[in-house]
């Protein structure tokens, strides 16, 4: 993304790396947080450019809904996290996606075209909760926190449904 969270964590003493599929967003992050620019790169969460057991913590914020199969990222997170490393995931809540879908079938996977910042036209996938709490995920990570929230989007606060899902998990020892 824009690098805001990476900069916040860096100021708290963390050594950070930021990856985004969008060159546009990486350019913004590099310009805004010049001191961290060497740590920001365009990349693919399904094929991370890091060694095995590299990270203590991985934060995936609003990324997984862009993937057809979140397990592809979970496998990379597992590979790149140290034993007992922490994984923090933020995704759009599966229920909130019902309001964006053409067909109101919670279980039917659909591609949704989304334009963000009026400059980035992307496709995201709708996912039921079982895509995020998949067999792979549950066999490789222990859930420590599971939270649903509304955020600040007026649509979701007016109709009283969750907008986001937060999962904090720990990598199981190999």
């Amino acid at each position: 993304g824009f690098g805001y969270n990476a900069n916040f964590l860096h100021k708290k003493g963390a050594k950070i790396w930021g990856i985004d599929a969008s060159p546009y967003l990486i350019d913004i992050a590099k310009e805004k947080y010049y001191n961290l620019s060497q740590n920001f790169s365009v990349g693919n969460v399904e094929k991370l450019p890091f060694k095995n057991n590299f990270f203590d913590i991985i934060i995936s914020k609003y990324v997984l809904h862009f993937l057809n199969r979140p397990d592809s990222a979970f496998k990379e997170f597992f590979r790149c996290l140290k034993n007992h490393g922490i994984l923090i995931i933020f995704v759009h809540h599966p229920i909130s996606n019902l309001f964006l879908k053409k067909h109101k079938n919670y279980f039917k996977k659909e591609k949704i075209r989304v334009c963000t910042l009026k400059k980035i036209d992307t496709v995201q996938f709708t996912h039921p909760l079982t895509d995020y709490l998949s067999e792979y995920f549950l066999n490789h990570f222990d859930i420590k926190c599971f939270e649903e929230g509304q955020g600040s989007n007026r649509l979701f606060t007016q109709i009283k449904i969750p907008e986001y899902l937060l999962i904090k998990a720990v990598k199981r020892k190999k």
Side-chain angles (χ1 to χ4, degrees):
F2 299 107
Y4 172 81
N5 293 308
N7 185 58
F8 174 81
L9 293 170
H10 174 73
K11 284 183 176 181
K12 298 285 184 187
K15 191 170 182 182
I16 64 93
W17 286 264
I19 301 241
D20 199 289
S22 167
Y24 174 73
L25 291 177
I26 290 297
D27 287 346
I28 290 173
K30 285 182 174 187
E31 185 177 312
K32 189 164 182 140
Y33 304 106
Y34 180 77
N35 60 323
L36 297 174
S37 63
Q38 71 279 2
N39 294 17
F40 295 133
S41 60
V42 175
N44 181 345
V45 71
E46 295 171 300
K47 190 174 164 95
L48 294 169
F50 301 102
K51 295 183 219 172
N52 295 350
N53 306 305
F54 186 76
F55 291 108
D56 295 310
I57 300 172
I58 292 177
I59 300 172
S60 172
K61 190 169 181 185
Y62 295 108
V63 172
L64 298 177
H65 53 269
F66 291 107
L67 306 177
N68 187 26
R69 289 185 241 37
D71 275 353
S72 60
F74 294 149
K75 289 174 184 175
E76 277 296 274
F77 297 157
F78 185 82
R79 181 186 68 77
C80 292
L81 273 172
K82 294 177 182 176
N83 285 333
H84 304 292
I86 297 170
L87 174 61
I88 300 172
I89 300 165
F90 290 88
V91 292
H92 293 295
H93 196 287
I95 291 295
S96 69
N97 285 331
L98 271 177
F99 292 88
L100 302 173
K101 292 175 80 162
K102 292 177 184 170
H103 303 92
K104 301 301 181 198
N105 179 344
Y106 173 80
F107 298 101
K108 183 177 190 256
K109 188 173 291 197
E110 289 184 46
K111 290 182 183 180
I112 301 172
R113 193 164 271 314
V114 178
C115 187
T116 57
L117 308 172
K118 299 180 181 167
K119 292 186 179 196
I120 304 172
D121 190 27
T122 61
V123 171
Q124 70 181 45
F125 293 88
T126 61
H127 294 284
L129 185 57
T130 52
D131 279 4
Y132 299 124
L133 299 179
S134 67
E135 183 178 349
Y136 181 88
F137 182 85
L138 294 173
N139 285 331
H140 290 81
F141 296 93
D142 293 318
I143 297 173
K144 298 300 179 188
C145 176
F146 185 91
E147 178 183 311
E148 302 170 290
Q150 286 188 314
S152 59
N153 186 315
R154 251 183 63 207
L155 171 66
F156 301 116
T157 57
Q158 287 175 340
I159 56 178
K160 306 294 184 213
I161 64 167
E163 189 279 325
Y164 71 85
L165 178 66
L166 164 70
I167 301 170
K168 177 182 174 185
V170 174
K171 175 183 173 179
R172 289 191 184 145
K173 191 174 181 180
K174 290 182 187 177

